[in-house]
Amino acid sequence: MSLSEDSIDPTPTTQQDTQTGFDDTEPVDSSMQEFYQLYQELLVITLALTGVVFISVWIAYSGNIALNYLLGACAGVLYLRMLAKDVERLGREKQSLSKTRLALLVALILLASRWNQLQILPIFLGFLTYKATLIFYVIRMAFVSD
């Protein structure tokens, strides 16, 4: 058997090669759909947790501290949204995540340190509410059996 006797017709190696065009986008759409569902779930949990903690802080402490917490929690939700948008673009448009999201927290802490009405600790703890959401989600997923 020599090389000249072999057929040079290409043989399809994947399902995408057998089709014309790039119609086989189901895995990408499926994974993005899962991503959007995860983002929506994390957003709902974060907002619910923010509401519960905001009311608790209002009752236990004062309205000013509760509003400081709410300001930080809103910044945390904005940070989560910015992170989701950054992850959504990862692979298509970008090769790495940007670090500019952290400027949001830095600007908020600087604003709190300059303005006497704002307190740094409630704002920072409010910002970390999305982290508590992630911990809650991971613990829930660890105990849920498929």
Side-chain angles (χ1 to χ4, degrees), residues 7 33 43 53 73 79 133 138:
S7 171
Q33 189 67 22
L43 191 62
V53 173
Y79 180 87
T133 300
V138 168

Side-chain angles (χ1 to χ4, degrees), residues 7 14 31-32 43 46 51 81-82 121 130:
S7 171
T14 63
S31 62
M32 288 307 290
L43 191 62
T46 302
R81 178 170 159 66
M82 291 168 65
L121 188 60
Y130 83 96

Side-chain angles (χ1 to χ4, degrees), residues 66-128:
L67 290 173
N68 281 288
Y69 168 81
L70 187 62
L71 177 65
C74 289
V77 168
L78 182 61
Y79 180 87
L80 184 64
R81 178 170 159 66
M82 291 168 65
L83 180 63
K85 290 291 183 186
D86 210 17
V87 169
E88 182 181 21
R89 284 184 233 136
L90 191 64
R92 287 191 317 226
E93 302 168 17
K94 293 184 175 184
Q95 297 300 321
S96 65
L97 295 174
S98 67
K99 305 207 179 5
T100 58
R101 293 179 313 277
L102 201 54
L104 178 67
L105 176 64
V106 171
L108 192 60
I109 296 300
L110 285 174
L111 179 68
S113 68
R114 299 284 183 210
W115 200 7
N116 291 334
Q117 304 297 334
L118 299 178
Q119 297 177 0
I120 295 173
L121 188 60
I123 290 174
F124 181 69
L125 293 175
F127 181 80
L128 293 179

